[in-house]
Every structure is written in structure tokens, then in C-alpha cells.
Amino acid sequence: REGVDPDLATAASIGLGVEGSRTDTMVVLHIGDGGNRMMSLPRDLWLPIDGGSAGKLNSAAVVGGAPALIRTVGGELGLPIQRYLEVDIAGFLNVVEAVGSITIDFPRPACDPKSGLMVRQRGAVELGPQRALAYVRSRTYTEFSAAEVRRTLGADATCDQIIGAGLGSTDGTADIGRGDRQRRFLLAVFDEVGGTRNPITLLQVLGGMSGGLRVDDEMGMFDALSLARRLRGADIESITLPVVPFDPGGTSALLPADDAGEVLDDFR
């Protein structure tokens, strides 16, 4: 959250003032032999962290930064990580602002009172920086009928009012559904950035990434742009890791399901 403008309309939902960093969005991307594949790793996945005691996967970065996260994913899930790219919230906002917007197809209007998302139409919608962030951070994603809401509550009804009136259908999969939407958004980013040829826009993208992007010791920002260009329009299979609910005591978590090994083998 460091570097995020506190005057943003969605600042309250971002949780400014929270100390430390958290890897709440984790995606593994495989390119090349066996096809291009993308798989989300739920933040609540319960695993031994960096060879130590078990915890939620998103705590690995708190324990030992990116190296601990990479070792955990490689050691516990058998997914060797050769490259690492991390973007913080400020960098995310800057990159979307640099390209102007990211277009996402909405089957139905949707909102989320916790992330600040509000999209009142269906179909292709251009998301600017703040709405894009609200979309990828949404864990209580709620779809609704715009016509029914207008008829019952009025055109300016809030997401809380829509849910309170029983007019919304909330995605009960939480992080799993969020992971699906994040992969969809990431593919749209690859298409948008990869298709950019305007040098001024590219400089703005690089400038936006420079303060909020962390990469491994062999990847630079131009390499990240090259990656986006390589993946533009590519056929990328989106994979969901099978998980089951787990209560380790006082918190909700997820364990790999019985068929997770098969999915991981296929992904490898």
C-alpha cells in the first residue's frame, strides 16, 4: 500500500495505514513446452512456510520476503519458479493509468461493498485505475440486475443497499472466484501493454512500474514489457487449483484437494 494517494475515492477500501506487505494475489505462469498456462495460488492455502511451521501462503512474504515465497511454492507444491515479478498497489494504479484503461467483459452488472467496485452495465466495460483495482481485489463479488435495482431502489443505489434488499447474488467462492477474475484481468493487461507501440505510453508504463515493481535479479523492466508483448493474443489456459476448506483452529484456510496432485502434475 506504500505510495498510494490517501485522497483516492477508494482509499478507505484499500486499507491505508496497514503495516507490512502481503502477497494476496499470487499467480504462477508457465510459458513454452506443454503450452502457456496460468494458475492462481489462494492466499489462504495452508502449507509449511519455507520449511517451517504451517501457515497461510500469503504469510511467506512476511516471514522471508520473495525468496521465502518462492521456496515455499517450489518445495511444497513442486512448482519451480525461475522468474519473479511483483507489483504493489501504487504501481498497479500507475500502469493502468498509463495505458488509459483495461477492458473487461461483465456478463452482468456487479459490485462489491468491501473493495468499492460498482459496474452498473453489462458487456465490455473500460476500467480506469480505481475501478480496476476494486475489480481485482473483490472477494465479495456481487452480481445484480440493473433494471430490477433501478425499479426497486433507484439508479444510484449503493452496493450495500442492493445486497440488503436481497437483489444481489454474491460469489460464495471468495478467493477462488477472485483468482479467476484476476487471471482474466492479467490477460487483458498483457493484451493492452503488449499492443502498445506509442513510445510515450511505453515510457509512462515503465515510469509507473519503476516505483512499484520488484523483479528477480535477472529480469529488468524491459524484460517485463517483452513478456507482455510475447503473451499478447497468446492462447493461455487458465487453471484452478482444487482446494477444500480447512480449519486449523480459529481461522479459515484451504488445503489442496485430493485431485490437486493431478492438476499440479499436469501444470508442471
Side-chain angles (χ1 to χ4, degrees):
R1 295 168 173 82
E2 185 178 354
V4 176
D5 184 355
D7 293 329
L8 283 177
T10 53
S13 65
I14 294 173
L16 299 184
V18 176
E19 297 295 328
S21 60
R22 293 154 179 79
T23 48
D24 283 351
T25 299
M26 292 166 281
V27 178
V28 180
L29 177 66
H30 171 83
I31 306 170
D33 293 344
N36 303 316
R37 302 176 179 191
M38 184 184 296
M39 179 168 61
S40 296
L41 300 179
R43 69 174 192 171
D44 291 342
L45 195 61
W46 192 263
L47 298 170
I49 302 299
D50 200 14
S53 58
K56 294 183 178 182
L57 184 57
N58 73 336
S59 68
V62 180
V63 171
L69 176 59
I70 291 169
R71 288 192 295 266
T72 301
V73 172
E76 300 303 327
L77 296 178
L79 297 175
I81 306 298
Q82 285 83 32
R83 293 288 180 269
Y84 180 85
L85 187 151
E86 173 189 316
V87 62
D88 64 19
I89 289 178
F92 177 96
L93 292 168
N94 290 339
V95 169
V96 177
E97 184 174 9
V99 297
S101 63
I102 300 296
T103 301
I104 297 293
D105 184 66
F106 286 81
R108 299 182 67 201
C111 65
D112 187 326
K114 295 182 179 179
S115 75
L117 176 68
M118 176 56 79
V119 174
R120 298 185 186 274
Q121 69 266 37
R122 64 180 181 178
V125 177
E126 292 186 359
L127 301 181
Q130 294 192 50
R131 282 211 294 178
L133 182 63
Y135 175 73
V136 299
R137 296 186 71 238
S138 174
R139 296 185 77 213
T140 50
Y141 186 83
T142 302
E143 295 184 324
F144 59 92
S145 164
E148 186 178 20
V149 167
R150 282 196 303 269
R151 184 171 59 252
T152 307
L153 300 173
D156 297 327
T158 66
C159 195
D160 280 325
Q161 290 173 331
I162 292 171
I163 294 173
L167 300 179
S169 175
T170 300
D171 179 5
T173 62
D175 268 340
I176 306 304
R178 181 169 74 160
D180 291 340
R181 291 186 293 275
Q182 288 167 346
R183 293 195 300 274
R184 191 178 309 129
F185 186 87
L186 190 55
L187 291 175
V189 170
F190 288 148
D191 277 347
E192 189 66 40
V193 175
T196 300
R197 292 295 181 267
N198 186 317
I200 295 177
T201 301
L202 288 176
L203 286 173
Q204 290 173 334
V205 171
L206 286 171
M209 291 193 302
S210 63
L213 182 74
R214 296 180 61 207
V215 295
D216 61 60
D217 56 7
E218 295 184 22
M219 174 185 276
M221 284 186 289
F222 283 103
D223 296 315
L225 280 178
S226 296
L227 173 64
R229 284 179 172 171
R230 179 180 177 184
L231 294 175
R232 182 175 185 255
D235 184 16
I236 301 179
E237 182 183 1
S238 185
I239 296 174
T240 299
L241 179 69
V243 293
V244 293
F246 173 65
D247 183 0
T251 186
S252 59
L254 298 168
L255 287 177
D258 290 340
D259 55 345
E262 181 179 344
V263 172
L264 289 169
D265 283 342
D266 188 55
F267 188 87
R268 297 183 194 107

